[in-house]
Amino acid sequence: MSQAANTNRIDYIEFPAESVPGMKRFFADAFGWTFTDYGDDYSSFSDGRLNGGITSDPTERPNAPLVVLFASDLEASLAKVVDAGGTITKPIFSFPGGRRFQFSDPAGNELAVWSDK
């Protein structure tokens, strides 16, 4: 699928964890997921269809799984989130795979939007 076709779709999920190795063991044993480590406190996973991550960094770790959507235009997506009543919890920042921001929806759920540009 093209980037435009993926815009506004769930693209990634991050799970909080006390122990990244423990979570990796669980998901590998239970579901056969594969992993790529990015330091001691982050590992990405693939379940064969959807990708995600596991983080144990307490400064970056949300209190619940973090659903991440894709946007081909990150700034436009941020503006739409704000206009729709969302609250930005982390402004746009860079990470090894691109850039993203995080927000709370009106019910208080935290989500993120990322772009590879």
Side-chain angles (χ1 to χ4, degrees), residues 21-36:
M23 288 285 279
K24 286 173 53 180
R25 230 178 350 269
F26 169 78
F27 284 115
D29 291 349
F31 304 109
W33 294 2
T34 59
F35 300 89
T36 302

Side-chain angles (χ1 to χ4, degrees), residues 1-114:
M1 246 188 266
S2 70
Q3 287 182 341
N6 285 330
T7 293
N8 301 324
R9 293 186 181 185
I10 294 172
D11 190 61
Y12 200 83
I13 297 175
E14 287 185 345
F15 293 104
E18 292 293 322
S19 166
V20 170
M23 288 285 279
K24 286 173 53 180
R25 230 178 350 269
F26 169 78
F27 284 115
D29 291 349
F31 304 109
W33 294 2
T34 59
F35 300 89
T36 302
D37 293 331
Y38 294 95
D40 294 333
D41 60 4
Y42 197 90
S43 186
S44 67
F45 69 80
S46 175
D47 71 359
R49 185 175 64 88
L50 182 68
N51 296 319
I54 299 168
T55 182
S56 64
D57 181 345
T59 64
E60 295 296 326
R61 189 174 56 171
N63 293 324
L66 181 69
V67 174
V68 184
L69 295 96
F70 179 81
S72 55
D73 184 337
L74 198 60
E75 287 76 8
S77 183
L78 186 143
K80 287 180 180 181
V81 165
V82 171
D83 289 348
T87 302
I88 303 304
T89 58
K90 288 188 181 181
I92 293 174
F93 63 93
S94 295
F95 67 97
R99 300 180 312 132
R100 83 179 194 196
F101 68 89
Q102 291 175 212
F103 68 96
S104 290
D105 67 17
N109 299 299
E110 188 167 11
L111 296 95
V113 180
W114 85 283

